[in-house]
């Protein structure tokens, strides 16, 4: 029996905000201990605040991505990475004019039950 698996067809998460999410490993592949996803956030993209129960590592392949972490704004560019520890209140966005391509790794794996996204109020950024 082989001691490796090759992922050739990641799960493409359906989205309504123009963001590409290709989960290579995670709950979609039966692995709840880690998720690894390739993502592309389009210009002017954002999502609601969240307070996840997982650590999230992000590595920027191209473009820039903005992180609002417990009220502090951090911007990462190509070649930079960040670890955001579970329990931090965070909002991810790409308020820039170019798409942002990046890898996200979550420990344990990302799930809607663990992310704790907040409801967005209409008219509020």
């Amino acid at each position: 029996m082989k001691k490796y698996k090759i992922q050739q067809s990641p799960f493409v998460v359906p989205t309504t905000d123009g963001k590409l999410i290709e989960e290579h490993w995670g709950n979609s592949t039966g692995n709840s201990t880690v998720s690894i996803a390739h993502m592309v956030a389009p210009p002017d993209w954002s999502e609601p605040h969240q307070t996840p129960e997982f650590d999230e590592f992000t590595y920027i392949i191209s473009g820039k991505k903005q992180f609002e972490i417990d009220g502090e704004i951090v911007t990462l560019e190509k070649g930079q990475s960040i670890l955001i520890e579970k329990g931090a209140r965070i909002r991810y966005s790409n308020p820039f004019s170019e798409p942002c391509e990046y890898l996200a790794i979550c420990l344990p794996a990302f799930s809607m039950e663990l992310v704790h996204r907040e409801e967005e109020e209409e008219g509020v950024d």
Side-chain angles (χ1 to χ4, degrees):
M1 180 179 219
K2 293 182 181 183
K3 301 250 185 220
Y4 65 89
K5 296 178 185 175
I6 297 174
Q7 175 58 274
Q8 295 183 8
S9 52
F11 176 70
V12 178
V13 178
T15 65
T16 59
D17 60 4
K19 183 177 178 187
L20 171 68
I21 304 172
E22 298 173 319
E23 186 174 72
H24 283 257
W25 304 102
N27 283 307
S28 65
T29 61
N31 187 336
S32 63
T33 59
V34 64
S35 61
I36 301 174
H38 169 251
M39 301 194 195
V40 179
D44 300 317
W45 165 86
S46 69
E47 62 186 17
H49 285 92
Q50 56 194 31
T51 308
E53 293 181 47
F54 48 78
D55 291 338
E56 184 162 354
F57 298 83
T58 302
Y59 173 77
I60 308 298
I61 297 169
S62 66
K64 295 190 282 190
K65 187 174 179 189
Q66 183 171 289
F67 304 76
E68 181 183 332
I69 309 163
D70 293 328
E72 181 180 348
I73 302 293
V74 176
T75 301
L76 263 60
E77 299 180 4
K78 176 182 177 176
Q80 295 181 316
S81 63
I82 191 170
L83 162 61
I84 301 169
E85 296 178 0
K86 62 183 167 188
R89 183 173 184 257
I90 182 160
R91 181 176 184 180
Y92 298 103
S93 64
N94 178 9
F96 309 105
S97 60
E98 298 293 323
C100 179
E101 180 179 13
Y102 60 100
L103 295 176
I105 301 167
C106 300
L107 297 169
F110 176 94
S111 75
M112 290 306 290
E113 294 76 30
L114 296 179
V115 73
H116 305 295
R117 283 208 178 114
E118 298 175 13
E119 296 285 327
E120 279 195 317
E121 296 178 30
E122 286 191 35
V124 176
D125 282 336

